Amino acid sequence: MNVHTYEKIWLVASLFLIVGFIATVVYGAAGAGIAMVDASGGTVDSTSLSENERFGEPGVERVGDGEYEVTVVARQFMYQPDPIRVPADSRVTFYVTSADVIHGFQVVGTNVNTMVIPGQVAKITVDFDEPAEYGIICNEYCGQGHHDMEGKLVVVPEDEYGGDDA
Ligand code: CUA
């Protein structure tokens, strides 16, 4: 069979394209160390959060100079605590888990955005330099009240921060 030179070129080029597409998808799915949920936060028994050392009392804790840990429980259809108050010029690590179904935890306007899965702890660290107010929204459909599930994060000026009532 005589295959025209141009046709050979197109055949080879389209083969490269197909292999290229597959390689791109595989790399995107597994190659770059991408994880849907950061597993570094560990796991937790979602049926007994109230007895858990960390999640029994959701809230803000100062753990060092300008460093805070915020423990958040997501549940239908709210976040605890709400609002979350942290001081400006701080480094904040969020530990978020769910008491019931899969929720989302996005602090709008920051790069904090994670899925919240019962039994798993999502851990995210972010710096807040300036006083500001952020909305927190749920990006996973979690039931009838999903569209009303929201919270607030308030970054208050350092000298106004009490801390303990956060
Ligand atoms: Cu929680 Cu949607």
Side-chain angles (χ1 to χ4, degrees):
M1 188 174 71
N2 183 24
V3 180
H4 198 278
T5 312
Y6 279 130
E7 194 144 358
K8 279 185 194 157
I9 292 172
W10 281 110
L11 275 172
V12 170
S14 58
L15 269 178
F16 270 111
L17 266 182
I18 290 167
V19 171
F21 284 143
I22 293 172
T24 305
V25 170
V26 168
Y27 180 76
I34 296 164
M36 287 294 286
V37 173
D38 184 358
S40 64
T43 59
V44 65
D45 181 357
S46 64
T47 60
S48 62
L49 286 184
S50 58
E51 288 138 49
N52 181 270
E53 198 181 326
R54 179 182 290 282
F55 291 99
E57 276 183 67
V60 182
E61 192 182 347
R62 185 177 181 275
V63 291
D65 207 14
E67 288 185 36
Y68 294 80
E69 287 183 357
V70 180
T71 303
V72 181
V73 174
R75 63 175 77 236
Q76 289 166 321
F77 298 96
M78 58 187 283
Y79 298 99
Q80 295 171 286
D82 182 32
I84 299 167
R85 294 175 78 249
V86 294
D89 199 20
S90 64
R91 169 159 293 184
V92 177
T93 300
F94 293 95
Y95 294 85
V96 193
T97 196
S98 166
D100 39 44
V101 300
I102 292 177
H103 295 281
F105 182 79
Q106 179 181 8
V107 182
V108 180
T110 73
N111 61 0
V112 176
N113 185 8
T114 183
M115 197 186 262
V116 183
I117 299 174
Q120 290 193 29
V121 181
K123 180 183 172 193
I124 316 162
T125 300
V126 63
D127 290 338
F128 292 107
D129 297 332
E130 303 290 336
E133 250 188 64
Y134 300 95
I136 298 172
I137 58 170
C138 176
N139 285 327
E140 301 292 333
Y141 182 75
C142 53
Q144 280 196 337
H146 162 69
H147 63 283
D148 284 329
M149 183 162 171
E150 56 186 23
K152 196 194 277 186
L153 172 74
V154 186
V155 182
V156 301
E158 263 183 289
D159 52 357
E160 288 175 25
Y161 187 70
D164 36 39
D165 66 335

